[in-house]
Amino acid sequence: MTREGRAAWPIGALLIGYPLWWALGFGGLAVIVVAVPMTVVLWRRRPIRVPHGFGLWLLLLAGYLLSAFMLAETPAGTYGELGAGRLAGYAMRLALYVSLLVMVLYLGNLTERELPQLRLVRMLGVLFVTTVAGGLLGVFFPSFAFTAPLERVLPDWIGGNSFVQNLIHPTAAQMQKVLGHASPRPEAPFEWANAWGSNLSILLIWFVVGWWVYGDARRRAAAVVLIALAAIPVVYSLNRGLWIGLGLAAVYLMARVAGRTRLTICLAGAAGALAFTLSPLAGLVGQRIDSPHSNDIRAFTVTATVQAATESPFIGFGNTRNAMGNHRTVTTGKTQWCGECGHPPLGSDGQLWLLVITQGFVGAVLYVAFFAGAVRRHWADRSPIGLAGVLVMILVLFYMFVYDGLVTPLSLYLISFALLWRNHA
């Protein structure tokens, strides 16, 4: 490692070393760990440059601090008392928000010599390869799981919390009865199946930039093979949000590129569609589209979330709350059909709804303004990184309706934001 490149090791440790973090039990929490050396790097090179939109993120953080005063409150239609789990969830989210801010500032203040843009893009490409491998693991070995070292040392009052357990316990897949029977939805090496889907789509964008747009013949050949392999867990994920996101990405690219690039996209899309139609995967997609059982669940939790948030519209309640009942009955719990069922947590169906319940409508507006502002400022950037970064920002604004941003997705969103910022530094 050159002297100029030494300052970039924390981001390399996070992205390239992510499988190790996952195996240790840190997973998405690794950003909190690497934020420490990132802070040291920033401290040594004051004054620190900040991006446009920085004030919006600071206001988002300030609002989250204020929301702590509402942690003990119980809005109508919810139940539960202030306890260790609620406090741990709040503290973890706060640490993540602060760490992500540090990461953006760290990336934006590294010089091109210390961390070339293409190197950062290819680091994300390496994580894409890891994600595809994790997806295939979830499809072919769905029961794979183990107890991580971090899980062994945490006290039960922390490690036993369901939210924390999802973060620290490595599993290959979630078993869900989306199609009427138990089927695996890949999630390795991330915390949830939906996080896997969101992350796969974001990383695919940067993988194409690093391995196809800026790749030689060998990288391009490898890219074709890896993307073809990725199609298997993409379909088996039964993730409609991911499928729609990939469709939006294709439409965006068709609208923003021209000439030979547009022709290449059309030919690749046609070839991929034909291969998919002739494969057994097409039937699986059809079954998923015909089984929209989660729509009623989402409608219930979103409605209940908005109703609860009206009782604290400016600063929210600091953390999620459990709803009384669900979309079918006022009593809920585990059943033979669904061993993981229970009172649905409000704000669990998308980052927008999580912000509404935790930070009120003001927090949700600040979040939207932050990413929408990035789209507006960088829309004119038609470089490969500019086009890719704006596409990610658009997907962030779509995914906020269906995916939670915390934990790992928001890390990738903000790394993409930093790439846009660095492109105009």
Side-chain angles (χ1 to χ4, degrees):
M1 182 182 296
T2 64
R3 182 177 180 181
E4 292 80 6
R6 288 176 185 171
W9 74 262
I11 191 64
L14 176 65
L15 298 177
I16 298 174
Y18 193 84
L20 179 59
W21 291 112
W22 178 68
L24 291 174
F26 285 92
L29 302 178
V31 70
I32 299 175
V33 180
V34 299
V36 176
M38 288 178 180
T39 302
V40 173
V41 172
L42 284 172
W43 182 260
R44 290 176 175 174
R45 57 183 62 201
R46 293 166 294 165
I48 299 170
R49 296 187 304 111
V50 300
H52 291 291
F54 179 73
L56 293 172
W57 197 264
L58 285 183
L59 288 173
L60 193 67
L61 276 175
Y64 197 52
L65 289 171
L66 289 175
S67 72
F69 291 104
M70 300 296 290
L71 283 171
E73 301 299 319
T74 304
T78 69
Y79 77 97
E81 298 179 353
L82 179 63
R86 189 178 295 177
L87 292 173
Y90 174 84
M92 188 174 299
R93 287 189 179 94
L94 179 61
L96 284 164
Y97 283 135
V98 173
S99 298
L100 292 171
L101 173 62
V102 169
M103 182 182 67
V104 169
L105 294 177
Y106 159 81
L107 290 173
N109 281 271
L110 291 180
T111 66
E112 178 67 12
R113 188 171 182 180
E114 290 173 318
L115 179 61
Q117 285 280 73
L118 184 55
R119 183 185 300 172
L120 179 55
V121 168
R122 285 183 173 162
M123 286 181 184
L124 291 168
V126 171
L127 187 53
F128 171 77
V129 177
T130 299
T131 304
V132 173
L136 293 171
L137 178 69
V139 171
F140 295 109
F141 302 96
S143 61
F144 178 82
F146 59 92
T147 302
L150 179 62
E151 198 175 353
R152 295 182 185 278
V153 301
L154 283 178
D156 289 341
W157 66 273
I158 296 179
N161 179 272
S162 58
F163 174 68
V164 176
Q165 184 67 198
N166 278 325
L167 299 180
I168 65 175
H169 183 64
T171 53
Q174 286 182 283
M175 298 299 295
Q176 296 181 346
K177 297 183 178 180
V178 175
L179 301 178
H181 56 83
S183 55
R185 298 185 64 203
E187 65 178 1
F190 304 114
E191 56 272 13
W192 294 285
N194 282 346
W196 184 91
S198 171
N199 294 345
L200 185 282
S201 64
I202 301 304
L203 292 168
L204 172 61
I205 293 167
W206 294 117
F207 177 76
V208 170
V209 173
W211 289 50
W212 182 268
V213 177
Y214 291 114
D216 54 18
R218 184 181 301 176
R219 285 185 183 273
R220 289 185 172 187
V224 171
V225 173
L226 284 165
I227 292 173
L229 287 173
I232 298 172
V234 163
V235 172
Y236 276 95
S237 71
L238 304 176
N239 199 320
R240 292 174 299 172
L242 167 60
W243 300 343
I244 295 171
L246 293 176
L248 288 175
V251 171
Y252 167 88
L253 291 173
M254 289 294 295
R256 300 218 64 198
V257 301
R260 184 177 298 178
T261 303
R262 178 180 291 180
L263 178 61
T264 301
I265 294 172
C266 289
L267 292 175
L274 178 62
F276 170 77
T277 302
L278 297 176
S279 75
L281 299 178
L284 191 62
V285 171
Q287 292 181 55
R288 178 64 180 101
I289 294 174
D290 292 335
S291 304
H293 78 285
S294 63
N295 292 353
D296 292 338
I297 301 173
R298 286 182 178 274
F300 170 81
T301 55
V302 168
T303 301
T305 297
V306 173
Q307 289 176 346
T310 58
E311 297 185 27
S312 180
F314 299 108
I315 61 173
F317 293 95
N319 205 338
T320 59
R321 297 292 190 274
N322 287 325
M324 287 184 177
N326 61 20
H327 66 294
R328 290 178 177 171
T329 176
V330 294
T331 60
T332 56
K334 293 181 179 180
T335 65
Q336 183 178 3
W337 170 257
C338 183
E340 295 181 354
C341 288
H343 299 273
L346 302 185
S348 60
D349 290 312
Q351 183 67 16
L352 181 66
W353 316 119
L354 176 65
L355 288 163
V356 165
I357 191 65
T358 60
Q359 294 184 244
F361 299 105
V362 173
V365 169
L366 289 171
Y367 180 89
V368 171
F370 180 82
F371 289 106
V375 173
R376 177 185 59 81
R377 286 190 301 274
H378 299 286
W379 184 261
D381 184 352
R382 289 185 172 270
S383 68
I385 289 177
L387 289 170
V390 169
L391 172 56
V392 172
M393 299 298 102
I394 291 173
L395 288 179
V396 171
L397 295 172
F398 163 65
Y399 285 152
M400 71 182 180
F401 292 100
V402 293
Y403 292 147
D404 289 342
L406 293 176
V407 180
T408 48
L410 200 53
S411 296
L412 298 181
Y413 299 164
L414 289 174
I415 292 174
S416 302
F417 175 87
L419 276 162
L420 278 176
W421 174 28
R422 285 167 55 93
N423 223 36
H424 287 267

